[in-house]
Amino acid sequence: MKVIEANDYYAMSQKAAEMIIDQVRKKPDSVLGLATGETILETYAAIVNDYQQNQTSYRHIRTFNLDEYIGLGADHPNSYHYYMNEHLFRFIDIPMSQTYIPNGLADDIPEECIRYEKLIGQCGGIDLQILGIGRNGHIGFNEPGTSFDSTTHVVELAHSTRIANSRFFSSLEEVPTHAITMGIATIMKSRQIILLASGKRKAHIMSQLLEGEVTPNIPASILKTHPNVTIIADKEALSLIGKEQRKVYVQ
Ligand code: GLP
């Protein structure tokens, strides 16, 4: 695992976009694993900007999103379907039929999880997976305690996650209680992983991640055992890392 320290949120986003665009140019039929949340917003904006300036094509790209709320459809403004359309898909030339997101409205949710996991395999697996990190160390919606062997599954969201995500809803009650998420084993199968972290609110978890052990209590800690992980974080997110750990990880 290596850590690239960026000066600020904007520089972090530019670096992340650069790496994603590089992957798309090198392998135009790449399978990308995508994340949602606030952190990655500017990265998507930079990708859209590059598309408009340089016409990088996504025509043969396939994407798999990490997660989706159960009970929210594509037309609900808080669904991750809606988010992806609004922040990325409708601005680039990717055919919508090549964008995959778990269906939070499926009649048979366990079956939907199996279907989604299979589909990733049928597409040849994920070349590059982008992750954010929750303040409790979650990746996707894999909350602390999730088995490292988990594949796509249903989760009950941690109370702290619902509170954190309630900023996008009009009240906490409206935040769904459950979600479908790729599992930790699903994420770990990706050939390359980029994790983004920005701001003071991520500083504590980033120090726990970089200074602590590999433990299911911090789901993101499993990434230390993956052969190709790059963390791109800004100065604020890395502000609590001790000097020694800095030497080990930070470029
Ligand atoms: C959310 C999402 C994750 C996201 C993380 C961080 O709950 N399920 O995929 O990466 O939490 O979100 P943010 O970037 O808004 O801090």
Side-chain angles (χ1 to χ4, degrees):
M1 192 158 82
K2 66 173 181 181
V3 180
I4 297 175
E5 183 173 44
N7 268 335
D8 53 21
Y9 175 63
Y10 182 77
M12 178 206 76
S13 308
Q14 292 300 316
K15 181 68 199 167
E18 197 182 289
M19 287 178 72
I20 297 165
I21 293 163
D22 227 46
Q23 171 73 33
V24 170
R25 294 216 179 112
K26 276 194 195 126
K27 190 180 174 201
D29 61 348
S30 290
V31 178
L32 301 179
L34 300 179
T36 50
E38 217 174 336
T39 312
I40 200 168
L41 278 174
E42 188 61 36
T43 304
Y44 289 148
I47 289 174
V48 170
N49 190 45
D50 166 78
Y51 173 74
Q52 287 163 354
Q53 304 290 319
N54 307 313
Q55 290 81 46
T56 304
S57 180
Y58 296 81
R59 224 169 320 148
H60 302 293
I61 295 290
R62 280 163 299 176
T63 63
F64 283 91
N65 264 78
L66 280 167
D67 44 20
E68 179 59 287
Y69 290 115
I70 292 179
L72 303 191
D75 54 353
H76 190 292
N78 285 119
S79 73
Y80 290 158
H81 267 88
Y82 191 93
Y83 172 109
M84 290 309 301
N85 291 339
E86 286 305 302
H87 295 293
L88 184 65
F89 296 152
R90 73 187 181 94
F91 298 107
I92 59 176
D93 64 348
I94 190 163
M96 288 305 282
S97 59
Q98 289 162 210
T99 65
Y100 302 102
I101 304 179
N103 178 7
L105 291 182
D107 288 334
D108 187 340
I109 296 282
E111 186 51 41
E112 169 63 8
C113 295
I114 294 168
R115 183 192 73 86
Y116 198 70
E117 186 75 25
K118 261 196 202 149
L119 204 55
I120 297 173
Q122 284 162 2
C123 288
I126 292 169
D127 291 302
L128 177 60
Q129 173 68 57
I130 318 298
L131 299 174
I133 183 167
R135 273 180 279 180
N136 61 4
H138 74 226
I139 46 176
F141 267 135
N142 293 285
E143 300 285 19
T146 306
S147 162
F148 288 153
D149 296 330
S150 54
T151 54
T152 302
H153 63 290
V154 176
V155 282
E156 180 170 5
L157 300 179
H159 188 57
S160 62
T161 299
R162 292 187 64 236
I163 291 176
N165 289 4
S166 66
R167 65 192 194 279
F168 304 113
F169 293 78
S170 40
S171 69
L172 177 59
E173 290 67 46
E174 277 182 34
V175 185
T177 54
H178 291 77
I180 298 176
T181 182
M182 279 187 202
I184 295 184
T186 323
I187 293 169
M188 288 294 284
K189 270 191 226 153
S190 311
R191 289 181 269 282
Q192 187 185 353
I193 297 174
I194 295 174
L195 181 139
L196 303 179
S198 168
K200 284 205 177 102
R201 69 193 174 100
K202 297 293 168 69
H204 184 62
I205 189 62
M206 289 309 287
S207 76
Q208 282 181 300
L209 169 63
L210 293 177
E211 296 183 13
E213 318 242 284
V214 175
T215 161
N217 295 331
I218 300 178
S221 65
I222 189 67
L223 299 175
K224 288 179 169 180
T225 68
H226 188 286
N228 194 354
V229 175
T230 305
I231 293 177
I232 311 175
D234 62 16
K235 281 202 158 59
E236 282 190 353
L238 296 176
S239 57
L240 297 178
I241 312 291
K243 269 194 187 142
E244 288 312 306
Q245 293 310 111
R246 214 165 233 290
K247 274 189 215 149
V248 176
Y249 292 114
V250 182
Q251 294 202 332

